[in-house]
């Protein structure tokens, strides 16, 4: 097993359904990734399976209690005998990107804690040494969708998961620029023709065209990426 991902959530059925589809299922079937969902309520200590309470200091909404989450993390550590990297989905966290996905794909064990309501008791972050991760500057009702996004993004980067490893190099954000335009058959569709260079068979010209088109699109749509890039070719264009 190359990567284990444990997900702590109030809605494990969402994660289980996701884990049984597409690329994450294939990765598990091939023994490259293991994904397991844990119901947070199973780690509550009262008969009502309470996992949230009102925030200290007042304010609207509820906050996830520290005890169930801490117990869940310690339980997983106990059965895996590892020191996992603990991530907490939160709109207040570091923004998830391709670079972070690549970094996480090198881990042997990741625990994802799905946020919910107004958030998680801060002591969980501190005691579990959790890293708060955001998938964007917007609000969702819970962290299950972000957890699935993070899981798929890192799963596809695990060696041997993709049938064609070279395809990763054509992904947007692979080297901090967007991907180039892509075309397939038919060659002409509604009077729009595939760029001639792509049918030329000249691989060096094709690569040059793709690079230029990727840079052009990045400048137009995401110029901030070029400012962050250390790629000398990007800087020179």
């Amino acid at each position: 097993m190359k990567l284990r991902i444990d997900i702590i959530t109030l809605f494990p059925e969402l994660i289980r359904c996701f884990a049984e589809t597409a690329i994450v299922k294939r990765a598990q079937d091939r023994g490259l990734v293991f994904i397991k969902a844990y119901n947070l309520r199973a780690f509550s200590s009262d008969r009502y399976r309470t996992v949230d309470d009102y925030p200290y200091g007042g304010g609207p909404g509820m906050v996830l209690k520290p005890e169930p989450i801490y117990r869940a993390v310690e339980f997983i550590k106990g059965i895996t005998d590892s020191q996992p990297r603990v991530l907490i989905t939160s709109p207040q966290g570091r923004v998830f990107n391709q670079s972070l996905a690549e970094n996480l794909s090198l881990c042997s064990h990741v625990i994802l804690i799905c946020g919910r309501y107004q958030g998680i008791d801060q002591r969980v972050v501190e005691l579990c040494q959790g890293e708060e991760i955001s998938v964007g500057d917007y609000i969702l009702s819970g962290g299950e969708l972000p957890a699935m996004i993070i899981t798929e993004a890192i799963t596809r980067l695990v060696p041997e998961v993709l049938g064609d490893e070279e395809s990763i190099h054509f992904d947007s954000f692979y080297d901090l620029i967007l991907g180039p335009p892509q075309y397939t058959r038919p060659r002409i569709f509604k009077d729009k023709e595939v760029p001639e260079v792509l049918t030329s068979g000249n691989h060096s010209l094709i690569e040059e065209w793709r690079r230029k088109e990727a840079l052009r699109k990045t400048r137009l749509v995401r110029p901030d990426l070029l400012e962050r890039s250390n790629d000398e070719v990007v800087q020179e264009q």
Side-chain angles (χ1 to χ4, degrees):
M1 188 65 60
K2 295 186 177 181
L3 173 61
R4 178 185 179 110
I5 304 174
D6 289 302
I7 304 175
I8 301 169
T9 169
L10 286 172
F11 299 95
E13 63 275 12
L14 294 177
I15 304 300
R16 290 171 189 148
C17 181
F18 158 75
E20 285 299 314
T21 58
I23 193 169
V24 289
K25 182 181 188 301
R26 294 199 300 271
Q28 291 182 94
D29 289 345
R30 296 174 63 191
L32 301 171
V33 177
F34 176 81
I35 301 170
K36 185 173 178 62
Y38 293 84
N39 191 331
L40 179 59
R41 294 192 186 279
F43 298 91
S44 175
S45 59
D46 68 4
R47 64 175 180 169
Y48 300 107
R49 305 179 81 187
T50 306
V51 296
D52 61 338
D53 209 333
Y54 296 103
Y56 274 116
M62 306 291 278
V63 175
L64 287 177
K65 293 164 62 66
E67 304 100 312
I69 300 175
Y70 182 78
R71 288 194 196 102
V73 171
E74 290 301 300
F75 174 81
I76 295 169
K77 286 182 178 180
I79 63 174
T80 57
D81 191 29
S82 68
Q83 290 298 318
R85 192 160 172 181
V86 179
L87 309 179
I88 301 169
T89 62
S90 167
Q92 302 167 14
R94 170 185 177 185
V95 177
F96 185 68
N97 58 25
Q98 189 68 12
S99 176
L100 181 53
E102 291 170 7
N103 183 274
L104 291 169
S105 72
L106 301 176
C107 296
S108 60
H109 188 192
V110 172
I111 295 177
L112 272 161
I113 302 171
C114 298
R116 178 66 53 170
Y117 310 128
Q118 290 298 105
I120 291 175
D121 190 298
Q122 179 63 27
R123 290 166 292 186
V124 171
V125 181
E126 298 165 4
L127 292 170
C128 297
Q129 296 182 308
E131 304 171 53
E132 293 182 282
I133 304 295
S134 169
V135 294
D137 297 336
Y138 49 88
I139 303 298
L140 298 170
S141 295
E144 285 72 26
L145 285 174
M148 287 186 263
I149 289 170
I150 293 168
T151 296
E152 178 161 334
I154 63 180
T155 293
R156 66 189 305 278
L157 293 173
V158 173
E160 301 178 37
V161 165
L162 294 182
D164 181 3
E165 297 292 327
E166 287 297 312
S167 65
I168 292 174
H169 300 285
F170 291 93
D171 288 343
S172 292
F173 309 112
Y174 176 75
D175 53 1
L176 283 180
I177 62 172
L178 302 180
Q182 299 288 354
Y183 297 87
T184 188
R185 295 181 179 84
R187 185 168 178 172
I188 301 174
F189 177 68
K190 291 188 177 295
D191 296 328
K192 290 187 176 294
E193 189 170 355
V194 173
E196 186 176 349
V197 64
L198 296 179
T199 62
S200 69
N202 188 320
H203 295 293
S204 61
L205 285 180
I206 291 172
E207 288 306 307
E208 180 181 354
W209 179 88
R210 283 176 168 162
R211 184 67 175 176
K212 287 182 178 179
E213 286 299 305
L215 286 167
R216 182 187 64 78
K217 187 171 185 178
T218 305
R219 284 197 191 92
L220 180 65
V221 180
R222 291 292 304 277
D224 58 296
L225 292 176
L226 296 182
E227 296 173 6
R228 290 162 43 199
S229 177
N230 292 320
D231 188 330
E232 291 181 0
V233 176
V234 173
Q235 299 299 335
E236 289 173 359
Q237 294 294 323

